[in-house]
Amino acid sequence: MPGVPRSACYWMAGHTEAERVDPIAGDVHAVRRGSHERCGAGKIKAALERRGVTASGRRVGNIMRERGMRARTRADGPNRTGRGPTRPGSRTSSAASSTAASRAPTWPVA
């Protein structure tokens, strides 16, 4: 590496905390902040391409994972549990399962 003393290179090789910082990590964070933290790696990659920054989806995903970023999903919003339909009468609602159990035939026990 030109301009870097040999001793610094040896020191960096022995210290894991001196990791390489990805140059597009700041851009990824800026796009995510601009989207109100809703975008995943695919949409962030597309936004970076519109800005003229070339990066693969895997690279963007790795940056997001390393920094603890996660795309918001429908289940993350208000009044969402992520457990599926909750309308009364639907097959997975608790009301449907309790009424189905009450309509089960009763067999005489001998």
Side-chain angles (χ1 to χ4, degrees):
M1 294 180 356
V4 177
R6 185 179 300 173
S7 61
C9 291
Y10 287 120
W11 180 85
M12 285 174 25
H15 290 79
T16 57
E17 67 270 3
E19 294 181 23
R20 184 178 75 85
V21 177
D22 202 327
I24 67 163
D27 295 330
V28 170
H29 189 64
V31 169
R32 182 172 161 76
R33 225 175 329 140
S35 70
H36 302 288
E37 301 183 357
R38 287 190 179 99
C39 290
K43 287 187 179 182
I44 289 176
K45 176 188 180 312
L48 289 174
E49 285 178 353
R50 285 192 296 271
R51 290 183 175 191
V53 178
T54 303
S56 69
R58 179 182 291 178
R59 183 176 174 189
V60 173
N62 287 341
I63 291 169
M64 290 179 67
R65 187 179 62 249
E66 288 168 3
R67 295 180 176 247
M69 295 185 235
R70 191 176 145 257
R72 275 182 46 182
T73 60
R74 295 179 91 187
D76 294 337
N79 300 326
R80 293 287 189 151
T81 59
R83 291 190 210 127
T86 57
R87 294 186 323 267
S90 67
R91 288 191 286 162
T92 58
S93 73
S94 59
S97 61
S98 64
T99 57
S102 65
R103 284 191 239 145
T106 57
W107 301 99
V109 179

